[in-house]
C-alpha cells in the first residue's frame, strides 16, 4: 500500500487560508477553528465503519478532536491573548446573512477566554468519562462534539443573533443526551429542561431585538448595543427579560426546578457538562448583557440580585438536606453555589465582579469533579440512593479520597479554589459603600448561614455513603482505574492550583472586570444615593 506523504505545515496553512481571517489581516483564525473543529468532526460520525453500537471509533474521534481543540485554545489564549487588556481580542468579522445584519463575529476578552478553556476541558473529560456507553455511540459522541461547538460559540459570539442561535443550538444535544441515555425518568427530566430553557429564550430574543431596534440604526453587534446603554423604564424591562431568560440557566430561584431533575436522570458525563458549562453560560450572559449592556438598570436592581443570591445560597443548602439521591443533593448544592455569582454581580465593584468570575471558574471544576466521582461509584454499585449505600471507603479508598477532596473544595476549605472565590465575593459586598451598613451586615450573616450548612450536608453525605455498616451486595467492587484517576486529577489539580495561586485565573479576566466596574461607577453618581435608600 503506498504511503501518503503529508506536509503538515502546508496543510495547516491551506486550512488557515480557507477560514475567515482576523479583521481581514490574514492572521490565523483561531476562534473560528476552535468553534468549527468539533462540529466538523461530528459530521464524520455517520461515516465511521462498524456497528452503530461499537464505541471505539466514535469515542476515539471525539477524544482526538476535543484534545486538539483544547490545545488550540491553550495556544491561542497563551500566545495571542493579553489578559492585561480589557477590550476584545482575536476579533473575526465576516458577513454571513447581510439582509438580516447577521455576521460571523467572534471575539474574546477576559469574560469569555477562561470560560472557553473551562468548557473545552470539561467536555473533553466528559467524553473520557463515557466508557460505559454501548448504545447509539456515534450519535452520543456526535452530540457531545456538537455541544462543544455550540458552547464555545456562546462564549465567543459578538453578534446578538449569532449568540442566540448558538444558545438555542446547545439545547438540542443536551435534551437528546438526557432523553436517550438518562435514567428511568429521563423523558420527564428532558422535557422539563427543554420547556424551561426554550420559554426563557423567548425573553432573551425579545429583549435583545428591542435594544437592537431602539437606536437610530438597527445593529446586532454586541459592542454597539452596549454603547447604547438604554435606561429608564425601557432599560429596566429589557434587564428583567434578560434576568429571567438567563436566570433559568444559572439557575436563579424559583427558576431552578429543572436542574435537580436533569442531574438526577442524566448520566455522569452529561451532569459534568450541565454543572461545569451550562450553568456558567447563564452567569456569563448576565455579565455580558445585564451588566455591560444595561449598567443603569443593573445599578437600580443590584440590591434585588443580592437578595436573590442570598435566597439561592440558603434555599439550595436547605434543599440539599432533603435529597436521598447523591446527584440530586449535589445539584442542589450547585443552586447554592451559584448564589455567590449573583452576590458578586450584585456588588458591582471590582472585588465583587472578580469574585463572581472566579466562583464560576471554581465551580466549573469542582462540580464536574463531584459528578464524575459519583459516576464512578454509581457504575460499580448500580445505585445513587444514599440509604442503600454504606461502608464504601473500605472497598473504594481512592474513590473516597477523590470524593472527599471534591467535597472539601465545594465547602470552601482554605487552599481550595472555592475558598478564594467566596471570600472575594464577601469582600466585594462588604466594601461596597453604595449599600448601607445594615444591608451589608444582613447580607453577610444570611450568606454565612449557607456556608455553615454546606459542610454539614456534604460531610454527612460522605459519612452515609462511605462509612457505617457495609451493604453485603457492595462488599466487593473495584476501585478507580488509571483512566479514571487521570480524569479526577485533571479536575482536582487546577482546583488546588487556583486555591494556592489564584492569580493564575484572576490575571485572565481582571482587566475586563475592572473595566466593567469602572463603567458602572461612571453611571452610579445618581444611583448610589438611591441604592442607599433601597438598602
Amino acid at each position: 500500500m503506498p504511503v501518503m506523504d503529508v506536509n503538515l505545515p502546508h496543510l495547516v496553512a491551506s486550512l488557515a487560508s480557507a477560514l475567515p481571517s482576523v479583521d481581514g489581516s490574514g492572521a490565523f483564525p483561531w476562534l473560528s477553528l476552535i468553534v468549527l473543529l468539533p462540529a466538523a468532526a461530528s459530521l464524520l460520525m455517520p461515516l465511521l465503519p462498524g456497528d452503530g453500537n461499537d464505541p471505539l471509533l466514535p469515542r476515539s474521534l471525539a477524544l482526538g478532536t476535543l484534545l486538539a481543540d483544547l490545545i488550540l485554545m491553550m495556544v491561542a489564549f497563551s500566545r495571542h491573548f493579553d489578559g492585561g487588556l480589557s477590550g476584545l481580542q482575536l476579533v473575526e468579522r465576516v458577513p454571513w446573512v447581510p439582509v438580516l445584519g447577521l455576521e460571523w463575529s467572534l471575539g474574546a476578552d477576559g469574560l469569555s477566554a477562561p470560560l472557553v478553556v473551562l468548557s473545552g476541558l470539561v467536555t473533553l473529560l466528559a467524553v473520557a468519562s463515557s466508557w460505559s456507553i454501548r448504545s447509539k455511540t456515534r450519535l452520543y459522541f456526535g452530540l457531545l462534539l456538537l455541544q462543544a461547538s455550540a458552547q464555545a460559540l456562546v462564549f465567543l459570539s459578538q453578534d446578538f443573533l449569532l449568540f442566540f442561535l448558538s444558545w438555542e443550538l446547545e439545547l438540542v444535544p443536551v435534551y437528546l443526551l438526557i432523553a436517550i441515555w438518562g435514567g428511568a425518568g429521563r423523558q420527564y427530566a428532558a422535557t422539563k429542561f427543554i420547556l424551561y430553557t426554550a420559554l426563557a429564550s423567548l425573553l432573551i430574543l425579545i429583549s435583545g431585538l428591542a435594544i437592537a431596534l431602539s437606536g437610530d440604526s438597527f445593529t446586532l453587534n454586541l459592542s454597539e448595543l452596549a454603547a447604547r446603554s438604554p435606561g429608564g423604564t425601557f432599560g429596566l424591562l429589557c434587564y428583567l427579560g434578560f434576568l429571567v431568560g438567563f436566570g433559568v440557566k444559572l439557575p436563579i430561584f424559583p427558576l431552578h426546578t429543572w436542574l435537580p431533575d436533569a442531574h438526577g436522570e442524566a448520566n455522569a458525563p452529561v451532569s459534568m457538562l450541565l454543572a461545569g458549562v451550562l450553568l456558567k453560560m447563564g452567569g456569563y450572559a448576565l455579565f455580558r448583557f445585564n451588566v455591560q449592556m444595561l449598567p443603569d438598570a443593573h445599578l437600580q436592581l443590584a440590591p434585588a440580585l443580592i437578595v436573590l443570591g442570598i435566597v439561592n445560597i440558603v434555599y439550595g443548602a436547605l434543599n440539599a438536606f432533603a435529597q436521598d439521591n447523591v446527584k440530586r443533593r449535589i445539584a442542589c448544592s450547585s443552586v447554592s453555589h451559584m448564589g455567590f455569582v449573583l452576590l458578586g454581580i450584585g456588588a458591582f465593584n471590582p472585588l465583587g465582579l472578580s469574585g463572581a468570575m472566579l466562583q464560576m471558574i471554581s465551580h466549573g471544576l469542582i462540580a464536574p469533579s463531584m459528578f464524575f466521582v459519583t459516576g464512578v461509584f454509581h457504575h460499580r454499585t448500580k445505585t445513587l440512593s444514599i440509604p442503600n449505600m454504606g461502608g464504601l471507603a473500605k472497598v473504594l479508598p481512592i474513590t473516597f479520597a477523590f470524593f472527599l477532596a471534591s467535597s472539601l473544595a465545594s465547602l470552601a476549605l482554605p487552599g481550595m479554589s472555592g475558598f478564594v472565590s467566596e471570600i472575594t465575593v464577601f469582600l466585594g459586598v462588604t466594601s461596597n459603600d453604595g449599600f448601607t451598613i445594615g444591608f451589608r451586615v444582613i447580607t453577610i450573616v444570611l450568606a454565612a448561614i449557607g456556608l455553615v450548612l454546606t459542610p454539614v450536608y456534604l460531610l454527612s453525605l460522605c459519612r452515609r455513603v462511605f462509612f457505617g455498616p457495609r451493604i453485603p451486595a457492595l462488599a466487593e467492587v473495584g476501585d478507580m482505574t488509571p483512566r479514571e484517576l487521570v480524569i479526577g486529577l485533571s479536575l482536582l489539580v487546577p482546583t488546588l492550583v487556583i486555591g494556592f495561586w489564584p492569580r493564575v485565573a484572576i490575571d485572565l479576566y481582571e482587566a475586563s472586570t475592572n473595566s466593567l466596574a469602572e463603567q458602572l461607577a461612571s453611571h452610579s453618581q445618581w444611583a448610589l444615593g438611591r441604592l442607599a435608600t433601597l438598602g
Side-chain angles (χ1 to χ4, degrees):
M1 180 180 295
V3 178
M4 182 180 294
D5 183 17
V6 178
N7 187 326
L8 187 58
H10 178 71
L11 182 62
V12 172
S14 300
L15 179 61
S17 64
L19 290 168
S21 63
V22 180
D23 287 339
S25 63
F28 192 84
W30 293 101
L31 302 186
S32 291
L33 193 56
I34 288 170
V35 169
L36 296 175
L37 181 60
S42 70
L43 297 177
L44 299 177
M45 285 292 176
L47 306 178
L48 294 178
D51 184 1
N53 295 326
D54 182 9
L56 181 59
L57 288 178
R59 188 174 60 211
S60 299
L61 176 59
L63 278 173
T65 301
L66 292 175
L67 179 60
D69 207 40
L70 182 61
I71 292 172
L72 279 172
M73 295 174 189
M74 300 298 291
V75 172
F77 295 128
S78 63
R79 296 187 179 182
H80 306 284
F81 179 83
D82 186 354
L85 301 177
S86 60
L88 290 174
Q89 302 176 56
L90 301 173
V91 177
E92 305 171 26
R93 296 183 64 178
V94 176
W96 189 6
V97 186
V99 68
L100 297 177
L102 175 61
E103 290 185 322
W104 179 263
S105 180
L106 306 180
D109 61 4
L111 301 178
S112 55
L115 297 179
V116 171
V117 176
L118 174 67
S119 68
L121 173 64
V122 173
T123 310
L124 173 64
L125 297 178
V127 171
S129 305
S130 301
W131 240 246
S132 62
I133 300 299
R134 291 291 186 273
S135 65
K136 301 184 178 73
T137 55
R138 286 182 287 193
L139 176 60
Y140 178 86
F141 291 106
L143 290 173
L144 287 179
L145 287 171
L146 186 60
Q147 174 69 18
S149 285
Q151 63 201 23
L153 191 54
V154 166
F155 294 128
L156 295 173
S157 296
Q158 299 303 320
D159 180 279
F160 174 72
L161 191 52
L162 184 63
F163 168 87
F164 182 77
L165 291 174
S166 58
W167 185 273
E168 291 297 285
L169 177 61
E170 56 86 18
L171 301 180
V172 178
V174 177
Y175 169 79
L176 293 175
L177 288 167
I178 297 174
I180 299 175
W181 292 274
R186 58 185 180 273
Q187 296 298 333
Y188 171 79
T191 302
K192 191 173 183 180
F193 164 78
I194 201 69
L195 286 176
Y196 268 64
T197 50
L199 291 174
S201 296
L202 290 177
L203 293 174
I204 298 171
L205 180 61
I206 292 170
S207 300
L209 290 180
I211 298 175
L213 293 166
S214 64
D216 296 332
S217 60
F218 178 79
T219 181
L220 294 168
N221 183 274
L222 295 187
S223 298
E224 296 175 6
L225 293 178
R228 294 182 176 180
S229 298
T233 303
F234 175 75
L236 285 172
L237 289 174
C238 291
Y239 187 97
L240 291 172
F242 283 139
L243 181 63
V244 174
F246 299 133
V248 169
K249 191 67 69 71
L250 187 64
I252 299 174
F253 174 89
L255 308 172
H256 70 288
T257 58
W258 64 270
L259 186 65
D261 291 318
H263 275 304
E265 299 303 329
N267 63 18
V270 176
S271 287
M272 292 168 66
L273 280 178
L274 284 170
V277 183
L278 266 72
L279 271 59
K280 310 308 170 290
M281 291 179 183
Y284 165 80
L286 288 178
F287 268 101
R288 183 67 72 195
F289 290 85
N290 292 67
V291 180
Q292 189 174 50
M293 197 174 291
L294 299 163
D296 289 338
H298 181 65
L299 289 168
Q300 294 181 65
L301 295 176
L305 260 66
I306 296 287
V307 173
L308 288 172
I310 293 172
V311 173
N312 258 51
I313 292 170
V314 177
Y315 171 83
L318 290 174
N319 199 24
F321 282 103
Q323 308 302 322
D324 281 333
N325 180 290
V326 178
K327 291 179 69 177
R328 292 181 69 93
R329 180 171 290 201
I330 299 172
C332 291
S333 77
S334 292
V335 175
S336 181
H337 285 96
M338 288 297 98
F340 287 96
V341 176
L342 287 174
L343 282 185
I345 294 176
F348 68 79
N349 57 13
L351 273 176
L353 296 177
S354 177
M357 274 297 299
L358 191 58
Q359 176 71 353
M360 287 198 291
I361 296 170
S362 173
H363 185 265
L365 294 168
I366 296 170
S369 177
M370 297 190 73
F371 281 115
F372 165 70
V373 181
T374 300
V376 170
F377 62 74
H378 175 240
H379 178 66
R380 289 154 172 79
T381 62
K382 309 303 181 187
T383 182
L384 289 170
S385 174
I386 298 173
N388 292 333
M389 286 184 278
L392 290 180
K394 294 183 179 180
V395 291
L396 298 173
I398 300 176
T399 304
F400 164 65
F402 270 91
F403 192 82
L404 179 62
S406 301
S407 298
L408 293 175
S410 183
L411 60 84
L413 183 76
M416 301 285 202
S417 60
F419 173 79
V420 183
S421 60
E422 292 181 12
I423 196 66
T424 305
V425 169
F426 276 126
L427 292 174
V429 174
T430 56
S431 63
N432 192 327
D433 295 332
F435 303 123
T436 63
I437 294 178
F439 183 80
R440 283 180 274 173
V441 170
I442 293 172
T443 298
I444 296 305
V445 170
L446 292 177
I449 293 175
L451 285 181
V452 173
L453 293 174
T454 302
V456 177
Y457 68 73
L458 285 177
L459 294 181
S460 67
L461 173 63
C462 290
R463 175 183 57 81
R464 295 177 64 184
V465 171
F466 291 99
F467 293 98
R470 271 193 288 177
I471 306 298
L474 309 179
E476 295 182 6
V477 290
D479 212 341
M480 294 178 75
T481 64
R483 172 186 60 84
E484 292 168 334
L485 283 172
V486 171
I487 297 171
L489 288 172
S490 297
L491 292 165
L492 186 59
V493 169
T495 303
L496 291 168
V497 170
I498 295 174
F500 283 101
W501 189 22
R503 298 302 311 186
V504 171
I506 294 173
D507 285 344
L508 289 173
Y509 64 76
E510 189 173 39
S512 294
T513 53
N514 286 345
S515 177
L516 268 184
E518 292 172 4
Q519 177 188 353
L520 290 168
S522 68
H523 286 260
S524 67
Q525 297 304 315
W526 65 271
L528 287 179
R530 179 175 175 81
L531 284 173
T533 60
L534 290 173

